[in-house]
Each structure stands twice: as C-alpha cells, then as structure tokens.
Amino acid sequence: NYYNNSQLSPFDVIDDWELDFYSGSIVKYLKRAGKKPGEEKLKDLAKIRTYVDKLIELEQNKNHR
C-alpha cells in the first residue's frame, strides 16, 4: 500500500527509465520512506545511501580500468 499512493508505482518508473537494480532500489526506498508501518523513515534513507554508495563504487571502479 505504501507504494501505491500515486499514479506511478516504483515499477513504472524503474521500467520507464530502464534502471538497473541499484538505481531501481533507490527509487523504491525513496517512494516508501516514512510510509511503511512500523519502520522509521531513517531506515529507508539509510538503505538509499547503501545503494548510492554501491553505485559510486561501481562508477569509480569503471573509471579505474
């Protein structure tokens, strides 16, 4: 339910933007941040940071090849 409170679902955005797993996960957690019952917004924001850090790591590794 916390994903469906707008016209676009995270799946719609992920598919339309052709996002990879890490970027798609960022969209998903951003959409639900603070809306999942029993979970604090900070928990989802920390998950977003984890995926952003992974994307940065992958980009840095790609540039060092």
Side-chain angles (χ1 to χ4, degrees):
N1 215 13
Y2 38 83
Y3 291 121
N4 298 321
N5 62 351
S6 70
Q7 291 181 345
L8 295 175
S9 74
F11 293 122
D12 295 331
V13 174
I14 291 165
D15 290 343
D16 187 61
W17 294 355
E18 298 178 358
L19 298 178
D20 60 39
F21 173 78
Y22 302 109
S23 299
S25 295
I26 292 166
V27 168
K28 179 183 78 165
Y29 286 119
L30 184 61
K31 172 69 173 142
R32 84 167 197 194
K35 296 178 182 89
K36 187 172 182 183
E39 288 197 22
E40 293 186 25
K41 185 175 184 176
L42 190 56
K43 184 174 180 180
D44 284 330
L45 295 176
K47 290 177 184 179
I48 292 167
R49 181 173 32 195
T50 299
Y51 286 104
V52 169
D53 288 344
K54 182 62 176 179
L55 285 173
I56 291 168
E57 176 188 324
L58 292 170
E59 196 64 26
Q60 289 172 333
N61 290 340
K62 184 169 59 173
N63 291 332
H64 288 106
R65 290 183 181 178

